[in-house]
Amino acid sequence: MKNILLFMFLVSVKIAGQDTIMPLWPKDNIPNHLNSVEKELHEQNEILRISKVQKPTIEVYLPSKLNATGEAVLIFPGGGYRILAYDWEGTDIAKFFNTKGIAAMVVKYRLPSDVSQTNKKFVPLIDAQRAVRLVRSNAEHFNVRPDKIGVIGFSAGGHLAATLGTHFNEKVYEPIDSYDAVSARPDFMALGYPVISFGEITHQGTKENLIGENPSEDLVDYFSNDKQVTELTPATFLMHATDDTVVPVENSLLFYTAVKEKGISATMHIYPKGGHGFGLGLHDGHLKDWGDRMIDWIASLR
């Protein structure tokens, strides 16, 4: 099966050039998937919103070989575990990374569903682990180093990135091929206005969409990622706006404190204004440089 996926990758690169879309899983072997009438939806208005994902993928953006730094970043768009803000916090971010010589992969991960999934609360993490394993296994073909593969997530996508960074070692699905023997640990992670806690300062929609309206205390703690940090959690970059009324800035403060207490390298940029969901922030004079600050931070890890 690994050879089949690799063949699909090579063929799609030959046809599409720089960008290619790869399935995360072999056909008809997607963990926790149920056949149903649910169909994936794409809605384009100011941004592209994708919901009810049935077949998760990674969309690959590669810089030229002459510009490549050898690093790669997997991108998890936000959307409250209800939709994916796929271009705003996904493909636009990937193109930005390419201008800096960094390979980027937008992860179209499954969103929790009572209709098309079993044990839905683990499904986003299942796809996130698989995405890292798939990229790391194909590092040579992407012209990246297998020890320089990071993640970035925004809002609920930041929650997923942080969940991956704290639960990468946990067995949440049965291995299906040789890719699943590869480490799912990100080498670094960046979290943009992330949902971190499922406690009082959470974003209620994100919490309920993932673990329901009346979760157990153990489940709340499991997905409150500030409580799950260990010495193996990757180096972390955080950015947030103080006036975020959707996901309170205290989420980032909690995670920064948690990683700092474990002796993990961390940096944090808190902006006075910006609200929630500002993406690259290109139209705001004091936000538009956060991406460059992140690139500087990634370079410092080399």
Side-chain angles (χ1 to χ4, degrees), residues 1-3 130 133 137 175-183:
M1 185 56 66
K2 180 176 179 179
N3 290 334
R130 176 71 173 189
R133 288 171 171 143
S137 297
I176 63 169
D177 55 30
S178 58
Y179 289 138
D180 292 324
V182 176
S183 172

Side-chain angles (χ1 to χ4, degrees), residues 6-21:
L6 180 56
F7 172 76
M8 290 171 62
F9 162 70
L10 293 173
V11 169
S12 60
V13 167
K14 183 177 181 181
I15 294 173
Q18 180 171 296
D19 318 340
T20 186
I21 295 177

Side-chain angles (χ1 to χ4, degrees), residues 114 188 227 268-269:
D114 293 317
F188 56 90
K227 297 182 178 182
M268 180 170 57
H269 294 267

Side-chain angles (χ1 to χ4, degrees), residues 10-197:
L10 293 173
V11 169
S12 60
V13 167
K14 183 177 181 181
I15 294 173
Q18 180 171 296
D19 318 340
T20 186
I21 295 177
M22 294 179 65
L24 282 186
W25 307 98
K27 185 179 179 181
D28 300 325
N29 198 359
I30 303 175
N32 294 46
H33 177 72
L34 296 173
N35 290 324
S36 72
V37 297
E38 195 169 61
K39 303 294 183 183
E40 183 170 308
L41 297 178
H42 291 226
E43 299 174 283
Q44 181 75 61
N45 194 354
E46 290 183 339
I47 65 172
L48 173 59
R49 292 174 170 85
I50 299 178
S51 60
K52 301 181 180 180
V53 175
Q54 301 299 304
K55 295 181 179 179
T57 61
I58 56 171
E59 184 168 355
V60 181
Y61 289 79
L62 301 179
S64 67
K65 286 192 174 182
L66 289 177
N67 284 328
T69 65
E71 293 146 334
V73 177
L74 284 80
I75 304 166
F76 299 101
Y81 287 130
R82 184 180 61 84
I83 61 103
L84 302 178
Y86 193 76
D87 48 3
W88 182 250
E89 294 173 345
T91 56
D92 284 1
I93 306 298
K95 294 168 187 175
F96 168 78
F97 275 115
N98 278 184
T99 67
K100 308 299 181 180
I102 298 174
M105 295 80 180
V106 184
V107 185
K108 189 182 72 175
Y109 57 92
R110 286 174 292 164
L111 301 159
S113 170
D114 293 317
V115 176
S116 61
Q117 297 163 15
T118 60
N119 208 4
K120 67 178 183 179
K121 60 183 174 292
F122 288 114
V123 167
L125 177 59
I126 288 171
D127 287 350
Q129 286 189 358
R130 176 71 173 189
V132 173
R133 288 171 171 143
L134 190 63
V135 172
R136 184 163 279 135
S137 297
N138 287 295
E140 181 179 352
H141 303 287
F142 293 133
N143 192 35
V144 300
R145 289 176 49 180
D147 61 345
K148 294 293 181 181
I149 297 172
V151 296
I152 183 172
F154 299 86
S155 193
H159 181 267
L160 178 54
T163 303
L164 176 64
T166 53
H167 297 280
F168 57 85
N169 264 338
E170 295 187 24
K171 185 177 179 181
V172 290
Y173 67 94
E174 291 297 325
I176 63 169
D177 55 30
S178 58
Y179 289 138
D180 292 324
V182 176
S183 172
R185 180 184 182 274
D187 295 300
F188 56 90
M189 62 182 180
L191 308 176
Y193 38 88
V195 179
I196 293 295
S197 174

Side-chain angles (χ1 to χ4, degrees), residues 172-239:
V172 290
Y173 67 94
E174 291 297 325
I176 63 169
D177 55 30
S178 58
Y179 289 138
D180 292 324
V182 176
S183 172
R185 180 184 182 274
D187 295 300
F188 56 90
M189 62 182 180
L191 308 176
Y193 38 88
V195 179
I196 293 295
S197 174
F198 273 4
E200 292 183 2
I201 60 169
T202 193
H203 177 252
Q204 199 63 28
T206 296
K207 175 182 176 181
E208 290 183 4
N209 286 334
L210 188 66
I211 61 174
E213 294 183 6
N214 297 296
S216 68
E217 186 174 338
D218 286 346
L219 203 54
V220 169
D221 286 348
Y222 181 90
F223 285 107
S224 291
N225 290 311
D226 57 302
K227 297 182 178 182
Q228 303 300 324
V229 172
T230 72
E231 289 80 3
L232 297 178
T233 298
T236 302
F237 173 100
L238 295 125
M239 63 90 177

